[in-house]
Amino acid sequence: MRCYRLPDRNSWSEITKRPTVSAEDLAETVESIFQEVERRGDEALREYTARFDGVDVAELRVSGQDIEASASRVPDELKSAIRRARENIATFHHSQVVEERIVETMPGVECWRRPVAIETVGLYVPGGSAPLVSTVLMLGIPAVIAGCSRIVLVTPPDTTGHVDDSILYACHLLGINDVYRVGGAQAIAALTFGTPTIPRVDKIFGPGNQYVTAAKRLAQVKGVAIDMPAGPSEVAIIADDSCDALYVACDILAQAEHGPDSHILLVTTSEAYTEVVLSTLERELERLPRRDIARSSLANSSAVVVASTREAVALTNEYGPEHLIIATRDADELVAQVRVAGSVFVGSMSPEAAGDYATGTNHTLPTNGYARAYSGVSVDSFVKKITFQRLSAEGLRNVGPVAAVLAEAEGLDGHKKSINVRLKEVITGGIH
């Protein structure tokens, strides 16, 4: 990791910069993939799967029988963990459902807002070398709670051309039957345009690498909504010597093993403590099965020593991390200062990995600084809110003149007349 000691604030933007492929290169590659998928559909999907995943896939759709049979192929301990995680995630997300409430803004004027589920949603679940069963739960559970009519899931196949059994088992638990073995930007293109096999969706959800994230942005341009820009993954850690250096080192590696483009920002108030963390990190790195991936990620990540924990929070607010771990003596006080983060883990006993899987909060979160304006996935992400209003004659008498004056001020006589013709009848006709 690159190390900085008491950097000037003017250098923070450089320190917090993520490693990225140039936007021009990404856009050109992704646009080309979109054009091919739009033009050649399933044929293009198979060709890209062979090129990028190294496997020939004859059938893009996973059969219902294979989804159902996955339960017999998943170890009982893993099935139990998946079910427990599902319960925690469902409990937290059910709490997000708000009852419809009618508000009377003036006597006789009733307004309310109703959440209506998005009809068809597409869930992108990263797979291949690290099949993310947890993402099935994080995306599928709020989609089911919201009441989406059709849930379409895409995920890259493994080297044998199959979808991991744990992913299929999670789909089986949630009742998701539209599952397709295709990943990368080509999967996002398929959800954007539709193909003979894969349906077009109304909104696309899920994390991914830089190409998947770029593809989601392009999907938005093509008229399909997205949850947020999500990926590559990242974490900021604020720590002091009240937290075991081994904990911090392991949190760093948990992030680094996601992929070579993952990013970590470690912020401490002690140079000596930072050195202990980094030496522990080096030792633990050699024990990590995905150490080559992690090493690439660490090469682009930073450790920063600042003067105080308050300054540490200011630095992470500028960074805008997907995940923020606060493992300091004053963690509870620092929480109030957090302004920009996707999800926050408070205290040395709160590893980010716990939230990735089973605390109940959602792990699909804004990355690359988008936490400044975006929230993580929730039940709200899968609904649109439609507003309603109902006016009685009394309500029209009360609010009509206000609206008519405003319409006249804007020079919109048609608006004014549509109100006044009703007011006239209400007033002269004695309508109640």
Side-chain angles (χ1 to χ4, degrees), residues 161-212:
H162 295 94
V163 172
D164 188 84
D165 286 329
S166 64
I167 286 178
L168 296 183
Y169 176 66
C171 290
H172 174 64
L173 280 181
L174 301 181
I176 298 174
N177 298 309
D178 274 346
V179 181
Y180 302 88
R181 46 173 74 87
V182 59
Q186 62 270 24
I188 303 300
L191 295 174
T192 301
F193 301 116
T195 74
T197 301
I198 300 176
R200 182 187 187 277
V201 303
D202 300 314
K203 189 172 182 179
I204 299 170
F205 297 78
N209 61 22
Q210 294 180 65
Y211 290 94
V212 169

Side-chain angles (χ1 to χ4, degrees), residues 223-298:
V224 176
I226 65 170
D227 51 355
M228 74 197 84
S233 192
E234 61 196 28
V235 67
I237 304 170
I238 301 173
D240 63 20
D241 60 9
S242 68
C243 183
D244 191 319
L246 177 61
Y247 295 176
V248 179
C250 289
D251 286 337
I252 291 171
L253 291 178
Q255 183 61 54
E257 71 177 353
H258 268 298
D261 52 3
S262 292
H263 196 246
I264 301 102
L265 179 68
L266 171 65
V267 190
T268 76
T269 56
S270 165
E271 192 169 356
Y273 177 69
T274 303
E275 289 174 359
V276 174
V277 170
L278 294 180
S279 64
T280 306
L281 175 65
E282 190 60 37
R283 183 190 72 217
E284 294 300 317
L285 177 61
E286 295 308 313
R287 301 172 180 175
L288 192 72
R290 293 167 67 89
R291 57 184 170 272
D292 290 339
I293 291 173
R295 191 173 282 110
S296 296
S297 172
L298 292 171

Side-chain angles (χ1 to χ4, degrees), residues 295-318:
R295 191 173 282 110
S296 296
S297 172
L298 292 171
N300 292 310
S301 298
S302 300
V304 187
V305 179
V306 295
S308 66
T309 54
R310 180 176 288 274
E311 187 175 1
V313 177
L315 175 57
T316 60
N317 279 336
E318 178 157 332

Side-chain angles (χ1 to χ4, degrees), residues 89 92-96 118 121-124 134-146 148 203-207 216 226-231 322-323 341-343 355 360-367 370-371 374-383:
I89 297 163
F92 182 69
H93 286 74
H94 272 296
S95 74
Q96 299 166 8
I118 297 169
V121 295
L123 314 184
Y124 183 88
S134 54
T135 301
V136 180
L137 302 176
M138 296 292 178
L139 299 178
I141 288 170
V144 170
I145 291 173
C148 298
K203 189 172 182 179
I204 299 170
F205 297 78
K216 286 171 63 181
I226 65 170
D227 51 355
M228 74 197 84
E322 176 188 18
H323 309 101
S343 191
T361 63
N362 208 289
H363 79 196
T364 307
L365 303 162
T367 63
Y370 283 101
Y374 286 86
S375 305
V377 163
S378 67
V379 173
D380 278 351
S381 306
F382 290 88
V383 299

